[in-house]
Amino acid sequence: MNRAGTTLLQKTGQIERTVDRDFADEEAKYKTLVVIPPFSVLSLGYEKECQALQKDSKGYLDAMRAMTAAQGRLADTIDVFYGAADKNSEGAMAAHAYKRAVDDLDTGVGRELDAPYRTTVMEPLGKMNAYFPVVNEHISKRNKKLLDYDSARSRMNKLIQKPSDDPTKLPKAQQEHDDAKEVFDMLNEQLIAELPQLLDLRVPFFDPSFEAMIRMQCKFAEEGYEKLSGVQRYFADNVRDDYAAGQLDAQVEGVLQEMKELTICGAS
């Protein structure tokens, strides 16, 4: 009898289905990580969690590249804008300093974030996600061998309850049963033992990556602050205070009003 036939007979109650509670519990934890209250949230599942981590980690790196690239384009435009008006003005010098700072940051992403981030975050996540197809294949194989075992047990029990005229059938069925049970028990016990170990190892596996990610983000933020702080020396000391007091907004509105009063900008 093939496995599809065995499954059908189990659904109709004609063949007993083996239920292993220990395996069922470990498989449930593997498929759905249950967070203990008060953090009463059901996660996506171990495999999907790791896949989401890999996807979002790549998204972060892509976003950092996009951000520094956008800053670079802004800096280029601002540098041209101020330089065309008066190359010797404080605004032109500030724009040029901003461009240099942004260029350094963009270079820093590739030098101090991109490659190390790939090595310490992306590659470990990729290795972890590579395990799941293997684990899932073992679970699938275990389930198939369970069907073989249930089918062999059913055939043996039928021969015990209703002996055949052929005396060789029962010993053969007994051997098939024993062989199927041995293979199933080996796979089942291996998964029951190793699935919780896989779950327990996820935190120490990700610890170095998490630490490296935080350190790289901190370094990038510190360098960004340091480089952009250097641009501030081209502005008046009271600019920050004026901004905090809302006076810069008023200055902008004042300039806008002067623009509106120009004939070429005024409403007809």
Side-chain angles (χ1 to χ4, degrees):
M1 183 184 300
N2 59 32
R3 289 166 180 157
T6 300
T7 301
L8 179 62
L9 291 175
Q10 285 181 333
K11 289 180 178 178
T12 58
Q14 298 179 59
I15 290 181
E16 181 183 358
R17 184 196 302 270
T18 297
V19 177
D20 189 308
R21 295 297 179 190
D22 291 336
F23 171 78
D25 289 344
E26 298 304 333
E27 184 184 31
K29 293 174 185 176
Y30 169 73
K31 289 184 175 180
T32 308
L33 290 175
V34 181
V35 182
I36 301 173
F39 309 102
S40 53
V41 179
L42 291 178
S43 76
L44 296 174
Y46 189 19
E47 181 176 3
K48 290 184 179 179
E49 289 277 3
C50 289
Q51 289 173 347
L53 270 176
Q54 187 175 25
K55 179 181 178 181
D56 291 339
S57 296
K58 182 179 183 302
Y60 170 80
L61 185 57
D62 291 343
M64 292 297 291
R65 289 178 184 150
M67 180 191 71
T68 56
Q71 280 183 317
R73 292 191 295 272
L74 281 170
D76 287 340
T77 303
I78 293 172
D79 190 38
V80 171
F81 184 83
Y82 276 97
D86 182 356
K87 291 183 179 181
N88 297 318
S89 68
E90 288 186 351
M93 288 188 288
H96 190 60
Y98 176 63
K99 185 179 184 307
R100 288 199 310 271
V102 167
D103 287 344
D104 287 345
L105 283 175
D106 192 27
T107 303
V109 168
R111 183 183 66 249
E112 299 178 7
L113 183 67
D114 195 302
Y117 189 86
R118 286 183 175 278
T119 301
T120 60
V121 178
M122 298 299 297
E123 289 181 11
L125 282 168
K127 290 176 181 177
M128 174 61 77
N129 280 315
Y131 294 147
F132 295 118
V134 179
V135 175
N136 293 337
E137 178 59 29
H138 274 73
I139 293 175
S140 177
K141 184 176 181 180
R142 177 261 183 203
N143 293 338
K144 290 176 181 177
K145 294 303 180 182
L146 176 58
L147 288 173
D148 294 344
Y149 167 51
D150 286 346
S151 178
R153 185 182 63 233
S154 176
R155 290 194 300 272
M156 182 189 69
N157 288 337
K158 286 180 180 178
L159 286 170
I160 292 173
Q161 295 167 7
K162 188 178 180 181
S164 171
D165 294 336
D166 184 349
T168 65
K169 282 190 174 182
L170 181 56
K172 182 180 178 181
Q174 177 71 54
Q175 186 62 50
E176 289 176 351
H177 166 271
D178 293 347
D179 291 344
K181 185 176 187 301
E182 182 180 0
V183 173
F184 165 71
D185 284 345
M186 180 186 67
L187 292 171
N188 193 55
E189 290 168 7
Q190 181 185 37
L191 285 167
I192 290 174
E194 294 187 4
L195 279 178
Q197 293 181 43
L198 181 65
L199 295 180
D200 289 342
L201 287 170
R202 71 189 187 278
V203 172
F205 181 84
F206 287 130
D207 272 349
S209 293
F210 181 50
E211 181 179 352
M213 181 179 67
I214 296 302
R215 288 183 180 276
M216 282 185 285
Q217 289 183 5
C218 183
K219 182 174 178 61
F220 183 78
E222 288 174 348
E223 287 194 359
Y225 179 80
E226 179 182 345
K227 293 182 186 303
L228 293 175
S229 292
V231 181
Q232 294 186 75
R233 65 189 180 90
Y234 293 99
F235 300 108
D237 294 337
N238 63 336
V239 167
R240 184 179 300 176
D241 294 335
D242 288 348
Y243 173 75
Q247 294 179 18
L248 289 184
D249 292 340
Q251 292 176 25
V252 170
E253 289 298 326
V255 175
L256 283 175
Q257 184 58 42
E258 290 181 25
M259 288 181 178
K260 290 178 183 179
E261 292 173 356
L262 295 175
T263 302
I264 57 175
C265 296
S268 57

